[in-house]
Amino acid sequence: MKYARVIGTGSYLPDKILTNHDLERIVDTSDEWIRTRTGIAQRHIAADSEMASDLALNASREAIKAGGIDPREIELVIVATTTPDMIFPSTACILQDKLGIGDCAAFDVQAVCSGFIYALATADMFIRTGKCRTALVVGAEVYSRILDWSDRNTCVLFGDGAGAVLLRGDEQPGILSTHLHADGSQSKILSAPANICGGKVQGKPFVVMEGNTVFKFAVKVLEEVVHEALAENNLESSDIDWLIPHQANIRIIASTAKKLGISMDKVVATVDKHGNTSAASIPLAIDIAVRDGRIKSGQHVLLEGVGGGFTWGAALIRW
Ligand code: UT7
């Protein structure tokens, strides 16, 4: 099997919506500041009873239904998450059980907001090397659990959700290429600096971010990685039908699109309604654009993301 093709997509957003106006009652912020600095108008928040695996389960069921397969055909489950259900087992193993798939490889990938690109690249390798034929790749996050709701610098930015894609080996493309990068020396500019020791939380288990430094870093590396993906495939930016970026900030999204010469009507943007859902943001955006008919068979779709680590990456797909 030469390529991994997307045969189904799904997504899930928790019922509860938190608007910018709701946030005005929690921290010293304004709808105007959040909209103009980030493009975000609202985000979804998981119920206390909902774990990352529950969000992943709903998204996966939709992807499996769209793919028209029996879940037992799945040979690999990868979940990209920064907010797993527990220390272990992995959220992928919990999801595998909830889906009733039975014996197959299942593991989590932790690359924060680039997690879905990392997970997709990993599944692509499994399929290309013939190790498996059908893989489920999910991004699922309950970021609301790791936010300091008194810190306006971070709590207004994130939301909860999940997205899933089902991949199957095929002679026709498919994922054309994936590109992964990391620079651990930048780990401090975006982190949740805590661990568990002797049953106690050590450190601060909330997202902390040097927003402006992250912004500049993101704009720089995203431009580099999208050019890398285009060059590897001998394609021009004019060949791209849809750019699907990680949804952190509409200004970062617009800047990358502008540098590529891609107009915003070829960019799938969901940040206004979802906020930053970290590893879930790209598969959520994919599912929305597939279901509303924007993404069509044969089109070139370019995914790109950046996040804590620092990590960044891209994937170029012929749909
Ligand atoms: O998903 C992984 C990657 N993450 C990202 O890509 C996020 C990247 N960073 C960003 O999106 C932006 O840097 C932010 C949206 C976080 C911040 O926007 P900014 O234009 O970089 O603003 P800033 O951090 O320079 O802050 C400007 C001002 C500050 O006030 P002073 O010091 O100038 O008086 C902040 O205190 O805005 C203030 N501020 C707020 N004001 C109202 C920060 N957060 C808020 C808030 N409401 N929620």
Side-chain angles (χ1 to χ4, degrees):
M1 285 170 290
K2 253 178 116 181
Y3 296 101
R5 282 184 74 84
V6 178
I7 60 164
T9 67
S11 62
Y12 174 76
L13 290 160
D15 289 341
K16 183 179 169 187
I17 292 174
L18 189 71
T19 66
N20 293 347
H21 294 294
D22 295 329
L23 280 164
E24 287 172 349
R25 290 190 284 275
I26 301 173
V27 283
D28 179 16
T29 191
S30 66
D31 174 55
E32 203 263 335
W33 189 96
I34 303 170
R35 275 181 200 267
T36 52
R37 296 294 180 116
T38 72
I40 300 168
Q42 62 170 57
R43 67 289 289 144
H44 291 250
I45 304 291
D48 288 348
S49 59
E50 282 181 314
M51 308 292 272
S53 67
D54 298 310
L55 276 54
L57 177 64
N58 289 322
S60 300
R61 281 188 175 140
E62 275 198 1
I64 291 165
K65 194 172 164 203
I69 67 154
D70 184 324
R72 285 167 300 185
E73 292 173 53
I74 294 169
E75 295 164 295
L76 172 66
V77 178
I78 309 180
V79 175
T81 186
T82 315
T83 49
D85 288 18
M86 53 182 93
I87 297 171
F88 72 83
S90 68
T91 304
C93 284
I94 297 168
L95 174 65
Q96 184 218 42
D97 180 49
K98 286 182 177 175
L99 283 167
I101 291 175
D103 180 19
C104 74
F107 56 89
D108 288 359
V109 162
Q110 161 58 302
V112 200
C113 300
S114 313
F116 180 76
I117 303 269
Y118 268 69
L120 192 76
T122 308
D124 181 45
M125 304 299 168
F126 269 78
I127 291 175
R128 277 179 190 251
T129 55
K131 199 74 188 152
C132 81
R133 181 163 180 247
T134 308
L136 177 65
V137 183
V138 187
E141 300 281 16
V142 282
Y143 249 65
S144 57
R145 308 271 159 82
I146 57 165
L147 295 175
D148 174 351
W149 288 97
S150 65
D151 177 12
R152 70 175 183 175
N153 291 298
T154 51
C155 76
V156 304
L157 303 174
F158 296 90
D160 301 337
V165 301
L166 198 56
L167 298 176
R168 178 158 270 189
D170 203 311
E171 292 306 312
Q172 303 299 318
I175 297 174
L176 298 174
S177 67
T178 57
H179 308 265
L180 303 180
H181 295 272
D183 178 358
S185 73
Q186 299 296 324
S187 62
K188 289 206 173 74
I189 61 174
L190 175 54
S191 63
N195 63 64
I196 305 284
C197 183
K200 293 199 179 92
V201 176
Q202 313 276 314
K204 202 172 167 249
F206 300 118
V207 175
V208 286
M209 175 165 68
E210 290 174 29
N212 211 261
T213 313
V214 170
F215 191 105
K216 287 178 192 147
F217 192 91
V219 168
K220 176 179 166 288
V221 297
L222 288 175
E223 184 189 6
E224 288 168 6
V225 80
V226 291
H227 281 301
E228 184 185 321
L230 290 171
E232 181 156 325
N233 294 285
N234 293 316
L235 291 173
E236 304 288 332
S237 53
S238 55
D239 295 315
I240 299 304
D241 296 289
W242 294 106
L243 177 66
I244 308 193
H246 167 52
Q247 310 283 322
N249 186 318
I250 196 67
R251 293 188 291 139
I252 297 176
I253 293 172
S255 160
T256 309
K258 192 174 171 194
K259 285 183 173 172
L260 273 174
I262 291 181
S263 68
M264 282 303 279
D265 56 7
K266 285 185 164 185
V267 178
V268 179
T270 55
V271 67
D272 56 332
K273 293 198 175 65
H274 301 171
N276 181 347
T277 57
S278 191
S281 91
I282 294 173
L284 258 163
I286 291 174
D287 184 52
I288 281 166
V290 165
R291 282 174 195 271
D292 68 18
R294 272 180 285 177
I295 298 179
K296 294 183 181 65
S297 179
Q299 289 184 330
H300 284 123
V301 177
L302 179 55
L303 316 179
E304 43 95 333
V306 58
F310 242 75
T311 57
W312 63 101
L316 190 47
I317 304 175
R318 188 172 308 146
W319 213 261

